Amino acid sequence: MRPILAEDAAGQTRQALRSVRAILDAAGSSLSSVVNVTVCIPDVSLWDEVNAVYEECFGSHRPARAIVPTRELHYGAFVEISVVALA
């Protein structure tokens, strides 16, 4: 089944981080327990848009982060995010 994606990188970043937050909450953790984030984007020109939402969500918390420019992402997505967090 094809996922329903927001139309822009900011919206997709919000969706991804909202999902991450829900998974962490279910595990008894939170975004403040994230220690590492990997962000894949198909075009570095999207970085400012993605980073603005990232900063909104993480606030002053600064986990280690890697930005990975890639080729096209699955389903034409603009962002893919994975995190490692303490639970």
Side-chain angles (χ1 to χ4, degrees), residues 60-81:
S60 62
H61 180 55
R62 300 284 186 240
R65 178 172 63 174
I67 311 311
V68 183
T70 66
R71 297 176 132 208
E72 293 177 9
L73 293 172
H74 203 54
Y75 298 116
F78 294 121
V79 64
E80 184 174 296
I81 299 174

Side-chain angles (χ1 to χ4, degrees), residues 5-6 8-17 37-43 46-47 49-51 53-54 67-68 70-82:
L5 300 173
D8 61 3
Q12 289 183 19
T13 303
R14 279 189 192 88
Q15 281 179 317
L17 291 175
V37 180
T38 302
V39 180
C40 297
I41 53 175
D43 186 336
L46 299 171
W47 179 239
E49 189 177 352
V50 170
N51 194 50
V53 175
Y54 178 94
I67 311 311
V68 183
T70 66
R71 297 176 132 208
E72 293 177 9
L73 293 172
H74 203 54
Y75 298 116
F78 294 121
V79 64
E80 184 174 296
I81 299 174
S82 67

